Amino acid sequence: MADAGNRHDAAPNRNRRRLIGSAGSLVLSLGAPQIAHGATLLGVRVWPAAEYTRVTLEHDVPLGFTHFALDNPPRLVVDVDGIELQPKFRELVGKVDVDDPYIANVRLAQNRPRVVRLVIELKQEIRPQVFASPPVGPYQYRLVIDLQPLTPQDPLLALLREHESRGRGPQPQAPNAPATARETPQRSRPAHITRVITVAIDPGHGGEDPGAVGKRGTFEKHVTLSIARRLEQMIGSESKMRVLLTRDGDYFVPLGQRVARARRVQADLFVSIHADAWIKPDVRGSSVFALSERGATSTAAAWMARRENDADLIGGIDLGTHDPGLARVLLDLSTTAQISDSLRFGNAVLRELERVNDLHKPRVEQAGFAVLKAPDIPSILVETAFISNPQEELRLKDEGYQQAMAQAMFRGIERYFAKYPPGARKPLG
């Protein structure tokens, strides 16, 4: 399955233009007699986002592919080798959202026997990444097409612009305590804060990677994003705090990029939000994890770290062209000081979580979570509840519980800074 690379045709010939122009009619006339032997298309998915749009074709056997770009107007052409045009392909056209920032339209044609051509009409010039992903987790073979902007977004510049435009927002109101919360403690205001504090919030999973799925069909990736947005609003309303979301929609972000974005904005804290799962449905409670230098503090912690670290494989990354800089972020660059600060931070959050839910363990646990390996940022991973527990799954879907969880994390952040004020690393503004 070799990728022929990205080549530009300055003057595409008339036959190619005629083929592309007639692709749409082939889709409309597709019928059962046209289905031939070969690979079976199992699913088509489109994940639009401001950062990039991903198109995924899932199939039952390996396929070959080549791709090239065309200009005026911009298009990406992908030839998929080893499959015939099937009715399932029709779904791809209908899944393109009109608000997609990159895709204007998708057309398909049977280019030649056992080769299907996808023509993706683009709204702007892009940097394509096309790669194959082997079977993993819930998926069989996948062909992944990532449409990325020529100039990637700079998280630091976006954060500064947002903070400047927002100015001093309203102070967070104390809403009525939800039924799931046990009590509403007094907030610990940070003392002697002389500069802007930056908090990176990491909603776990996203896009192709759903995370754990509850018996009632609740996706971890949706719960984590909802809680993260609530926490973002609380932090963002403070004049001396600013916040970065490592993802702000339903799309996949590799683990290394999550860490790299937090380091790019010089985050003071990193909070990764998740919903736990276990093989036994009666296991319950909230947990907080920090990184470990010497292995996991329990067998369960080690198992959970392995599951979370598989996110890159399930979400789908091109291992052949993976950015070595991001790969280095995932190396064990941890320091004793970072882990010590993370444990203090984790304990501050844990003390607030126990006011909202039972604790799975009464202390901060440790394991080798890749997303916690920023060497210079105190980092924790919060398991808000067990989505595999039917009762806790219901709580995770409840807006009151989500709000209470976000409030507990926010109070934990305040509690930590009240005891450990940040050093003079970033000036205000």
Side-chain angles (χ1 to χ4, degrees):
M1 280 184 288
D3 187 340
N6 180 28
R7 62 182 180 85
H8 294 263
D9 281 2
N13 58 42
R14 294 181 179 179
N15 290 336
R16 176 174 290 164
R17 290 184 182 276
R18 191 177 302 116
L19 168 70
I20 294 174
S22 63
S25 61
L26 289 176
V27 174
L28 295 177
S29 63
L30 181 64
Q34 292 176 272
I35 302 175
H37 299 293
T40 299
L41 190 63
L42 304 175
V44 294
R45 296 179 289 276
V46 181
W47 306 99
E51 293 190 26
Y52 76 107
T53 289
R54 168 169 288 191
V55 177
T56 304
L57 306 179
E58 185 177 1
H59 41 93
D60 61 345
V61 297
L63 294 174
F65 61 90
T66 58
H67 70 279
F68 56 90
L70 296 173
D71 300 322
N72 301 317
R75 287 153 289 165
L76 177 68
V77 180
V78 181
D79 287 338
V80 186
D81 189 0
I83 193 170
E84 301 291 331
L85 199 57
Q86 304 170 14
K88 193 73 174 176
F89 274 108
R90 289 174 177 166
E91 297 179 12
L92 183 59
V93 179
K95 288 187 176 182
V96 176
D97 193 282
V98 293
D99 296 326
D100 191 301
Y102 300 100
I103 301 179
N105 190 25
V106 175
R107 293 180 282 119
L108 304 107
Q110 190 74 53
N111 181 253
R112 55 188 183 275
R114 293 176 59 84
V115 176
V116 171
R117 169 162 289 185
L118 280 70
V119 180
I120 303 177
E121 298 177 358
L122 302 166
K123 295 180 178 179
Q124 59 178 282
E125 291 188 45
I126 55 97
R127 179 171 56 87
Q129 188 177 15
V130 185
F131 61 95
S133 181
V136 63
Y139 300 118
Q140 295 197 40
Y141 296 92
R142 285 173 292 170
L143 175 61
V144 180
I145 304 169
D146 285 347
L147 310 174
Q148 302 171 340
L150 293 179
T151 304
Q153 293 181 346
D154 185 335
L156 179 57
L157 182 59
L159 188 67
L160 291 173
R161 285 176 175 171
E162 180 182 350
H163 187 73
E164 290 173 358
S165 64
R166 186 180 71 236
R168 183 176 177 83
Q171 297 298 311
Q173 301 297 312
N176 295 330
T180 50
R182 299 184 174 181
E183 60 181 293
T184 303
Q186 295 295 318
R187 290 171 58 182
S188 300
R189 287 287 184 182
H192 309 300
I193 302 301
T194 59
R195 64 169 175 82
V196 172
I197 293 171
T198 303
V199 180
I201 306 173
D202 175 48
H205 308 283
E208 284 288 292
D209 175 21
V213 182
K215 294 293 185 181
R216 293 179 170 86
T218 307
F219 282 25
E220 179 182 4
K221 66 176 181 177
H222 297 323
V223 171
T224 61
L225 183 58
S226 180
I227 295 175
R229 283 174 171 164
R230 295 171 188 274
L231 180 56
E232 176 195 26
Q233 186 175 23
M234 295 174 191
I235 296 173
S237 65
E238 294 287 334
S239 62
K240 292 184 179 180
M241 288 188 180
R242 60 192 179 197
V243 60
L244 165 79
L245 281 182
T246 60
R247 70 174 178 97
D248 58 5
D250 187 12
Y251 56 94
F252 172 69
V253 180
L255 297 176
Q257 286 189 19
R258 295 169 190 256
V259 178
R261 290 174 189 179
R263 299 189 73 197
R264 171 63 179 143
V265 301
Q266 295 183 296
D268 295 286
L269 295 176
F270 181 92
V271 184
S272 189
I273 302 175
H274 292 259
D276 224 334
W278 191 244
I279 54 177
K280 296 181 179 180
D282 58 336
V283 177
R284 60 182 296 115
S286 302
S287 305
V288 175
F289 292 86
L291 192 63
S292 172
E293 277 187 308
R294 302 177 181 177
T297 51
S298 69
T299 301
W303 183 87
M304 291 174 189
R306 285 195 297 271
R307 181 175 69 87
E308 299 296 355
N309 291 347
D310 281 344
D312 276 354
L313 298 178
I314 295 173
I317 60 171
D318 186 357
L319 297 175
T321 61
H322 196 39
D323 186 343
L326 295 181
R328 282 194 296 272
V329 172
L330 296 184
L331 296 177
D332 191 5
L333 301 175
S334 58
T335 65
T336 301
Q338 186 262 15
I339 292 177
S340 178
D341 289 340
S342 298
L343 289 171
R344 294 190 186 103
F345 175 36
N347 186 66
V349 172
L350 197 66
R351 299 286 70 83
E352 298 296 337
L353 291 178
E354 66 184 352
R355 302 175 187 271
V356 178
N357 191 25
D358 293 329
L359 296 182
H360 182 59
K361 290 289 179 66
R363 65 185 183 281
V364 178
E365 293 196 83
Q366 294 178 259
F369 291 91
V371 79
L372 301 182
K373 290 190 175 182
D376 45 2
I377 307 173
S379 304
I380 63 171
L381 185 146
V382 178
E383 297 282 8
T384 51
F386 277 83
I387 203 169
S388 54
N389 180 301
Q391 289 73 38
E392 292 208 328
E393 180 185 3
L394 285 176
R395 301 186 82 187
L396 287 168
K397 293 175 64 176
D398 180 71
E399 291 186 3
Y401 184 79
Q402 293 179 3
Q403 185 75 6
M405 272 284 135
Q407 286 176 327
M409 286 182 241
F410 180 57
R411 290 193 298 265
I413 291 169
E414 290 188 313
R415 186 171 182 159
Y416 174 75
F417 282 124
K419 192 170 183 179
Y420 306 100
R425 183 154 57 94
K426 288 190 288 286
L428 279 172

